[in-house]
Amino acid sequence: MAYTTRSISNLKDQVNIVDVIGRSIPLKRAGSSYKAVCPFHNEKTPSFNVNEQRQMFYCFGCQASGDVIEFVKRFYNLEFNEAVERLAREYSIELEETRGRGENLDKYYQINKDAANYFYSNFTERANKGYSYMKSRNINPKYLKKFGIGYADEEWSSLYDYLKSKGHEESDMMELGLISRGGKDNSKYFDKFRGRVIFPIINTRGKVIGFGGRAINKDDNPKYLNSQESKVFQKKNNLYGLNLSRSQVSKLGYIILVEGYMDVVALYQAGIENVAASLGTALTEQQARMIKRYAKKVILCYDADSAGHAAALRGMEILRKEGLDVRVMHVTDGKDPDEFVKANGKDAFLALVENAAHYGDYKIRNAIDGLNLDDHYDRIRAIKRIASVLRALTPGEREEYASKMARELDLSKAVLLEEASTEPDGTSDRMADRLADRVANGADDSEGARRQPGSENASETSEFEEISQLEGEVLRLILRNEEYISRVEEIPELLESDTSRRILGIIKDNLEEDCSVDLGRVLDQADDLDRKAIYNILENIVISDDEEKIFRGLIKKNRLNRLQREVERINDILRYAGESEADSDEMNGLMRRSMELQREIAKEKAEEN
């Protein structure tokens, strides 16, 4: 089976060689590259280098070298297609099979290159509306050249005639969307781009893959005309300007995503070079994976109108799903980034970047936008909406934002956390729900919220959901004796965090025929953070020979922990509902339940002794 050159290229665009190699061998940063002991020959001093910018590896000892596919081939002793398929599975990337002989994409790249040169010559060698327009937008000639800006004149077939003179076929020009066909007998060819400023779209390997054309005349529609999808151009797999900005993105550790070509050019000219734009479509998973190759943080800089807010919310979810730290900024005064940076300068724009709203902040602000927080019913709606956002956050984020919003709304953090623990179908404890609503109706609990135990350290909680000592011991026991897998599954509360449950799933997927655990494959399939957690378990948790005694102890310890957390939850509700108008019978019921739980805890501890 063979795969198209396009799909192989897309795969390499979306997969980061540092991530792939880092899953297989330990890498250490060394300047702008990474070093390791070479996996392909015996050595003590690291001579194996990985260059993230070039997406290549090279060993100074054995001279092994290549791209990400070559590494996977060598490391796992695979054929080329097998290596491609392995990477595609791991990163959920679709592959396109060839039909018959493999495609020759070079001819399409050459046509696009010739078209880009033609547009640039039109733009620079004679007076034209395109150059006048870009000068009116205050773009320096240096940056017009850097981005390869061009001009499509208003003639019907000037580009077609030029490309034909270079020996290119009409069918290939049609495939790239550079020309169309019409006339009475459908035999006339004419240019798609006419009377427009042209922005070449160049991928990270320096190939011209498409074009964006900006109308100059007000009556011309659409305002922006983009190349159609073709054998070398898929919008979902590319970002405008990343070919120029990726080195600065890697250096600074974050990327600013804007909506338009002009925004990218203007910001780059202003000295803000870590910038790129999506290509007229909603942000995609493929683009998010591409970004992850170069940065861990993304600043979304979209228009401040309703469409911009909607695009930001959609984009945030896509980026967050890929594990990126995502924030949102909106330029002030209704200006777009191009206008703002020209009017206010680089420092003013970077100040907005510095104050970009974090994921949780932005989601909560959008959720409660338009509500009157002095109104009884709107306060209840606000609590419900905030809780809905909190429910989707990690435990650390949930704690931090609950503290923040409790102070802002002048109510108890416990109420927000309790509401966030309530499933939307209303299956949680109704008594606690009624108390939460009573407190939300106006109880003055600002001091209580500020006294919430642990809130002063909430901001220090890691975004990664750390596994508990108990969960680590359970997983260590499973790695030592796989027979405990089925027994742990019968008591699912032993593994509460997503991280521990994910690791258990990987272990189950890598049982040998004799039911032993293939630890190598487990580590290979785990992502960076999960692998780190597994290494920590292996290095720091020791299991004695009496496995059954340890397992029974873990079950009891888990039960005690759950009882204690329930006591703390009820006491929090009692503490922060105490100053409200809560029903005394409800309060007494909660107090009785707390005492019953404490007696159970005392009994369990007594049995231990």
Side-chain angles (χ1 to χ4, degrees):
M1 182 181 296
Y3 300 103
T4 63
T5 305
R6 174 175 64 180
S7 64
I8 299 297
S9 297
N10 288 338
L11 182 143
K12 290 196 284 187
D13 277 341
Q14 294 178 53
V15 173
N16 189 345
I17 194 171
V18 172
D19 179 52
V20 172
I21 296 180
R23 292 182 177 202
S24 306
I25 60 174
L27 292 176
K28 289 187 177 180
R29 183 176 281 279
S32 60
S33 298
Y34 293 82
K35 295 188 73 174
V37 173
C38 181
F40 305 126
H41 79 287
N42 293 323
E43 65 173 7
K44 294 182 179 180
T45 303
S47 61
F48 184 83
N49 281 255
V50 183
N51 188 304
E52 189 168 25
Q53 284 299 110
R54 296 183 180 180
Q55 291 290 298
M56 299 289 290
F57 72 88
Y58 180 77
C59 177
F60 289 95
C62 68
Q63 282 74 56
S65 65
D67 60 14
V68 66
I69 297 174
E70 180 64 21
F71 176 84
V72 173
K73 277 179 56 184
R74 283 173 170 265
F75 191 82
Y76 295 103
N77 193 27
L78 302 173
E79 296 296 329
F80 179 86
N81 281 352
E82 293 174 324
V84 168
E85 289 163 2
R86 180 188 179 100
L87 286 168
R89 282 195 306 271
E90 290 181 356
Y91 289 86
S92 301
I93 296 170
E94 292 183 8
L95 294 173
E96 181 181 63
E97 296 179 28
T98 58
R99 297 173 181 172
R101 299 180 62 186
E103 290 177 288
N104 175 20
L105 299 185
D106 288 343
K107 64 177 179 178
Y108 297 116
Y109 290 129
Q110 186 60 51
I111 294 171
N112 276 338
K113 182 179 179 180
D114 288 342
N117 287 335
Y118 178 76
F119 289 138
Y120 184 74
S121 296
N122 282 350
F123 188 72
T124 56
E125 294 179 2
R126 61 186 68 88
N128 61 85
K129 292 181 179 180
Y131 194 85
S132 300
Y133 173 79
M134 293 301 284
K135 284 202 69 174
S136 73
R137 298 291 295 266
N138 297 316
I139 302 299
N140 188 295
K142 171 184 174 181
Y143 295 97
L144 295 173
K145 181 178 181 180
K146 194 169 192 69
F147 282 88
I149 307 298
Y151 174 63
D153 61 37
E154 296 176 321
E155 300 298 321
W156 280 90
S157 62
S158 58
L159 175 65
Y160 166 73
D161 293 338
Y162 174 77
L163 293 177
K164 192 66 178 169
S165 72
K166 300 284 285 186
H168 299 304
E169 298 293 331
E170 286 91 346
S171 59
D172 295 331
M173 298 182 220
M174 292 278 289
E175 162 65 27
L176 295 171
L178 292 171
I179 63 172
S180 293
R181 187 161 59 182
K184 290 181 179 180
D185 55 357
N186 205 36
S187 62
K188 295 289 186 182
Y189 293 98
F190 58 91
D191 297 347
K192 272 275 191 75
F193 296 98
R194 301 187 308 279
R196 291 174 179 270
V197 172
I198 299 297
F199 298 83
I201 300 166
I202 303 171
N203 67 17
T204 53
R205 296 188 306 281
K207 303 286 189 181
V208 180
I209 56 176
F211 300 92
R214 207 278 187 198
I216 301 171
N217 301 319
K218 292 181 179 180
D219 296 333
D220 286 350
N221 286 304
K223 181 178 178 181
Y224 279 98
L225 178 64
N226 295 317
S227 288
Q228 65 187 38
E229 301 250 312
S230 71
K231 292 179 179 178
V232 296
F233 179 47
Q234 290 182 309
K235 295 175 185 177
K236 66 180 182 180
N237 292 329
N238 295 279
L239 292 167
Y240 177 72
L242 189 60
N243 61 304
L244 294 177
S245 65
R246 58 181 179 159
S247 61
Q248 195 68 1
V249 169
S250 293
K251 179 180 178 181
L252 297 177
Y254 74 97
I255 187 171
I256 301 170
L257 281 185
V258 295
E259 293 186 272
Y261 303 120
M262 283 299 301
D263 294 328
V264 172
V265 177
L267 290 175
Y268 199 98
Q269 175 177 276
I272 302 165
E273 297 180 358
N274 54 324
V275 60
S278 54
L279 294 164
T281 57
L283 203 64
T284 66
E285 293 178 6
Q286 292 87 343
Q287 289 168 332
R289 284 196 288 267
M290 180 180 287
I291 290 167
K292 196 175 179 179
R293 285 178 51 180
Y294 304 103
K296 298 294 183 279
K297 184 168 75 173
V298 182
I299 308 294
L300 293 176
C301 181
Y302 291 167
D303 289 346
D305 58 15
S306 58
H309 281 289
L313 288 168
R314 287 193 302 270
M316 291 181 91
E317 298 302 333
I318 294 290
L319 294 163
R320 185 174 169 84
K321 185 178 178 182
E322 289 298 320
L324 291 159
D325 173 7
V326 55
R327 309 180 188 190
V328 178
M329 61 169 282
H330 292 296
V331 294
T332 55
D333 303 327
K335 293 182 171 64
D336 59 28
D338 171 24
E339 295 170 327
F340 182 90
V341 77
K342 288 171 183 171
N344 301 281
K346 175 182 177 181
D347 291 343
F349 187 86
L350 290 178
L352 294 180
V353 171
E354 185 68 25
N355 292 311
H358 290 249
Y359 174 86
D361 282 317
Y362 192 78
K363 292 272 289 184
I364 288 172
R365 297 300 165 197
N366 272 275
I368 64 176
D369 185 45
L371 295 180
N372 177 9
L373 298 182
D374 293 325
D375 176 79
H376 167 82
Y377 292 107
D378 271 6
R379 276 178 70 81
I380 294 176
R381 291 189 189 95
I383 290 172
K384 298 289 185 184
R385 293 182 186 181
I386 292 168
S388 178
V389 175
L390 295 177
R391 208 173 285 127
L393 302 178
T394 65
E397 292 171 328
R398 194 178 305 137
E399 185 83 8
E400 181 172 353
Y401 285 114
S403 296
K404 182 175 182 178
M405 295 311 300
R407 289 192 296 271
E408 186 169 323
L409 295 176
D410 201 19
L411 54 83
S412 165
K413 180 177 83 170
V415 167
L416 287 176
L417 290 174
E418 178 66 20
E419 188 71 33
S421 69
T422 303
E423 291 301 319
D425 61 5
T427 57
S428 68
D429 187 284
R430 285 177 293 176
M431 187 182 297
D433 283 346
R434 288 199 299 272
L435 278 173
D437 282 340
R438 289 179 185 276
V439 176
N441 287 345
D444 183 2
D445 193 40
S446 56
E447 287 303 312
R450 283 187 279 272
R451 290 195 303 270
Q452 172 67 16
S455 63
E456 63 274 12
N457 293 321
S459 63
E460 297 174 8
T461 306
S462 172
E463 289 188 2
F464 175 60
E465 189 176 9
E466 299 283 357
I467 64 175
S468 66
Q469 175 70 18
L470 185 147
E471 290 176 307
E473 291 175 14
V474 171
L475 291 171
R476 186 67 183 91
L477 183 61
I478 288 171
L479 287 168
R480 177 187 170 106
N481 186 345
E482 66 285 344
E483 292 180 6
Y484 282 96
I485 292 175
S486 60
R487 298 180 65 183
V488 168
E489 289 185 313
E490 293 173 358
I491 314 172
E493 58 267 25
L494 285 173
L495 298 178
E496 294 184 310
S497 69
D498 288 341
T499 301
S500 63
R501 289 195 293 267
R502 196 162 53 242
I503 291 173
L504 175 61
I506 298 172
I507 292 171
K508 287 172 60 182
D509 290 341
N510 288 282
L511 291 176
E512 299 283 21
E513 290 183 3
D514 62 356
C515 290
S516 63
V517 177
D518 187 328
L519 183 58
R521 287 212 304 261
V522 168
L523 292 168
D524 180 52
Q525 291 183 14
D527 65 21
D528 289 345
L529 292 175
D530 288 352
R531 190 182 308 109
K532 182 179 178 181
I534 296 170
Y535 278 128
N536 186 56
I537 290 168
L538 294 171
E539 292 174 6
N540 299 311
I541 297 179
V542 178
I543 298 293
S544 65
D545 291 335
D546 195 342
E547 295 171 346
E548 188 59 27
K549 180 180 179 181
I550 289 170
F551 186 61
R552 291 196 301 270
L554 291 172
I555 294 173
K556 177 167 281 191
K557 183 179 178 181
N558 177 68
R559 175 169 167 74
L560 280 171
N561 288 346
R562 292 173 71 83
L563 289 171
Q564 188 60 50
R565 286 202 299 272
E566 180 66 9
V567 169
E568 292 171 357
R569 184 186 75 85
I570 292 174
N571 289 346
D572 279 343
I573 294 172
L574 289 170
R575 184 183 305 117
Y576 298 114
E579 298 179 16
S580 72
E581 299 174 0
D583 188 284
S584 60
D585 289 340
E586 294 175 342
M587 297 281 284
N588 290 335
L590 285 173
M591 284 189 283
R592 284 195 298 272
R593 178 59 180 153
S594 177
M595 293 173 67
E596 289 171 4
L597 291 169
Q598 291 180 61
R599 283 195 291 270
E600 285 188 58
I601 291 171
K603 182 180 178 181
E604 291 275 357
K605 289 183 176 179
E607 289 176 356
E608 285 184 354
N609 301 324

